[in-house]
Amino acid sequence: MNQKYLIPLTTVFLLFLIAYTGVQGAGLQVFFGIVFPYLAVIAFLGGFVYKVFGWASSAVPFRIPTTCGQQKSLPWIKQNCIDNPDTPGKVFLRMLLEIFLFRSLFRNTKAAFNRNESNKLAYSWEIFLWLGALAFHYSLLVVILRHLRFFTAPVPACLTWLEYFDGIIQLGLPGIFISGIVLLAATLFLLARRIFDTKVSYISQAADYFPLFLIIAIATSGIFMRYFTKVDVIGIKTFTMGLVTFSPVIPQGVGGLFYAHIFMVSVLFIYFPLSKLMHMGGVMLSPTRNMANNTRAKRHVNPWNYDVKTHTYEEYEDHFRDKMIEAGLPVDKKE
Amino acid sequence: MKKNYIIAGLAIFVIIVLSPFWFNMVTTPMAAPKPELLGKAATTKKCVLDKYDMRANHMSLLDTWRDSVVRSSDRKYTAANGHSFNMSLSTGENSCLGCHEDKAKFCDSCHTYASVTPYCWECHTNPKEIQ
């Protein structure tokens, strides 16, 4: 037991209970369903823009790309274009692959003692973080896109296709969506990794556990509503359509679980700009990835170098010429 | 990176995040469906389960019905309200479509709105369409 995950876990439970009891007991549908989600959108966008503006206006004085391959050199030495880009186009390719395929996670290694007699410390390739991250991010993306069916009417064809492929297993009724299951499984795996891998557990903070627990709770409540406890989807869609057309109405008969679900989503949105989740915007701006490594071909001057008052040798000599000649020192200019 | 690029990217992000709002301003959203009770359903006044239960849970009910018929060849279903039904999607007086006679105005009005396309009709038929 460890307070670093017990505190976030308790917080998520409390968040759930606040909304659930707030609606079931106190009838605060308007607050949890209308006021808070609007606030969350404002806080999310405001916070996001504020953060990125801060980053955009901070100086990046040095060329510090991290490179993992042969730099551009003599014509007969093969350059590693992706891992050591020297032109904006190659940087773009590198960023694209980083953002969509998480190449740097792919290189993840782990340190462990050999299982044989030698018992040496050895480093080996560890692919599961990459797989888990990929599964998590893509299923989350699909889940978010699928939710757009609640905010559009009629629903655009591209979303219908997405639903079709996501539901292609056609298991049970309502049909299973693969993304929801993968999302829950991947977050649980990422959580298990943090808890049971002692090395990762050692560097994990409450801020690492909290978003995981929150997303797990959101996914679980969503899965419960769809497959087990059931909600009136038409009622909910009239409610969500009301939200996005600025004429919100509270649906009849929809219970606390739904409000707990959107309350936790709203909390996630508000928490987003305050937390490490901002790597969504940050990944685009990381100087170690988005710069071309062309320091040998091009001179980069620190943009905030100010005019330093210098004293050149010529000035020095002008200053001390008489004394230097007097002392018999050699001078460049005699008078 | 150039500050202008960052701001352009940020603007695109904000527009994407707000898409549910402006999408419904540039298009006219469909009104919420009011499934019409036509034919036999208009006179019986009673569905298999309570109204709210039916709205939220009819797919699971259909799943139970399907399994019961196809797996255990048991076609009798006694509902909580005492009525018994001959479990079927579209065959007979007591089937879903036997009672809700107009599929388009009833089932489909909701399904189009919620963007669900039950694949049942690849095999099952709507009795109205055969005639």
Side-chain angles (χ1 to χ4, degrees), chain B residues 71-116:
Chain B
R71 302 247 163 94
S72 346
S73 75
D74 176 6
R75 287 178 190 261
K76 268 274 156 292
Y77 180 85
T78 311
N81 60 17
H83 289 266
S84 73
F85 292 86
N86 184 26
M87 288 186 261
S88 174
L89 186 56
S90 53
T91 326
E93 290 270 285
N94 259 339
S95 66
C96 307
L97 290 188
C99 201
H100 297 288
E101 287 174 27
D102 195 330
K103 174 171 171 286
K105 286 211 180 103
F106 188 74
C107 315
D108 296 351
S109 70
C110 280
H111 293 165
T112 323
Y113 186 66
S115 168
V116 273

Side-chain angles (χ1 to χ4, degrees), chain A residues 204-276:
Chain A
S204 295
Q205 301 291 340
D208 299 310
Y209 289 112
F210 179 67
L212 271 175
F213 283 127
L214 196 58
I215 293 171
I216 290 172
I218 291 169
T220 313
S221 58
I223 286 175
F224 257 80
M225 278 192 287
R226 181 175 164 83
Y227 303 103
F228 304 111
T229 58
K230 301 291 166 146
V231 282
D232 172 11
V233 173
I234 299 293
I236 284 172
K237 180 149 180 184
T238 34
F239 160 75
T240 49
M241 287 304 289
L243 278 184
V244 290
T245 52
F246 301 106
S247 45
V249 278
I250 293 297
Q252 288 289 308
V254 174
L257 184 58
F258 170 70
Y259 290 94
H261 184 71
I262 50 169
F263 180 66
M264 290 188 294
V265 173
S266 309
V267 171
L268 183 66
F269 267 57
I270 294 174
Y271 178 70
F272 200 100
L274 309 171
S275 67
K276 67 173 212 166

Side-chain angles (χ1 to χ4, degrees), chain A residues 1-312:
Chain A
M1 289 288 118
N2 176 335
Q3 81 221 21
K4 289 194 180 134
Y5 58 81
L6 281 183
I7 290 171
L9 181 63
T10 324
T11 314
V12 172
F13 265 120
L14 281 179
L15 288 173
F16 178 88
L17 282 181
I18 287 171
Y20 190 81
T21 52
V23 165
Q24 295 290 70
L28 293 172
Q29 275 91 340
V30 174
F31 177 75
F32 290 109
I34 299 171
V35 179
F36 203 73
Y38 276 135
L39 288 179
V41 172
I42 295 169
F44 172 73
L45 280 180
F48 201 102
V49 169
Y50 177 80
K51 267 275 163 75
V52 173
F53 253 84
W55 290 335
S57 36
S58 10
V60 185
F62 304 119
R63 281 272 137 177
I64 48 165
T66 48
T67 59
C68 328
Q70 173 60 47
Q71 175 175 17
K72 172 137 178 84
S73 176
L74 298 169
W76 41 269
I77 298 178
K78 194 164 177 291
Q79 180 198 2
N80 187 334
C81 289
I82 297 170
D83 284 326
N84 202 331
D86 66 314
T87 59
K90 291 173 191 165
V91 171
F92 183 75
L93 184 66
R94 184 187 200 196
M95 290 298 286
L96 215 61
L97 292 172
E98 179 67 37
I99 291 167
F100 289 104
L101 295 177
F102 314 162
R103 288 181 84 240
S104 49
L105 279 193
F106 188 68
R107 293 203 188 84
N108 188 32
T109 54
K110 68 161 191 259
F113 289 105
N114 269 339
R115 293 277 170 120
N116 57 25
E117 278 152 39
S118 71
N119 210 22
K120 272 188 189 151
L121 184 66
Y123 293 87
S124 57
W125 189 34
E126 206 274 332
I127 197 177
F128 291 102
L129 174 61
W130 178 74
L131 282 179
L134 216 55
F136 162 68
H137 283 87
Y138 275 99
S139 54
L140 183 63
L141 178 68
V142 172
V143 168
I144 289 174
L145 289 178
R146 267 204 293 104
H147 274 75
L148 290 179
R149 80 165 161 145
F150 290 109
F151 301 101
T152 51
V155 176
C158 47
L159 292 182
T160 329
W161 293 334
L162 187 70
E163 282 178 343
Y164 172 76
F165 285 110
D166 203 9
I168 201 143
I169 300 185
Q170 296 193 333
L171 201 67
L173 285 180
I176 290 240
F177 278 137
I178 303 167
S179 57
I181 314 295
V182 175
L183 176 62
L184 188 59
T187 39
L188 285 174
F189 165 73
L190 293 173
L191 176 68
R193 189 180 148 269
R194 283 203 185 274
I195 293 178
F196 297 116
D197 184 328
T198 38
K199 289 172 250 87
V200 185
S201 158
Y202 178 66
I203 56 166
S204 295
Q205 301 291 340
D208 299 310
Y209 289 112
F210 179 67
L212 271 175
F213 283 127
L214 196 58
I215 293 171
I216 290 172
I218 291 169
T220 313
S221 58
I223 286 175
F224 257 80
M225 278 192 287
R226 181 175 164 83
Y227 303 103
F228 304 111
T229 58
K230 301 291 166 146
V231 282
D232 172 11
V233 173
I234 299 293
I236 284 172
K237 180 149 180 184
T238 34
F239 160 75
T240 49
M241 287 304 289
L243 278 184
V244 290
T245 52
F246 301 106
S247 45
V249 278
I250 293 297
Q252 288 289 308
V254 174
L257 184 58
F258 170 70
Y259 290 94
H261 184 71
I262 50 169
F263 180 66
M264 290 188 294
V265 173
S266 309
V267 171
L268 183 66
F269 267 57
I270 294 174
Y271 178 70
F272 200 100
L274 309 171
S275 67
K276 67 173 212 166
L277 302 179
M278 271 306 286
H279 69 275
M280 176 182 181
V283 67
M284 321 271 173
L285 302 183
S286 60
T288 55
R289 288 294 124 114
N290 69 14
M291 290 182 150
N293 182 28
N294 56 4
T295 41
R296 290 191 175 178
K298 234 171 150 178
R299 180 174 151 85
H300 299 279
V301 179
N302 182 346
W304 23 276
N305 269 355
Y306 56 94
D307 284 329
V308 181
K309 184 86 195 73
T310 51
H311 197 213
T312 61

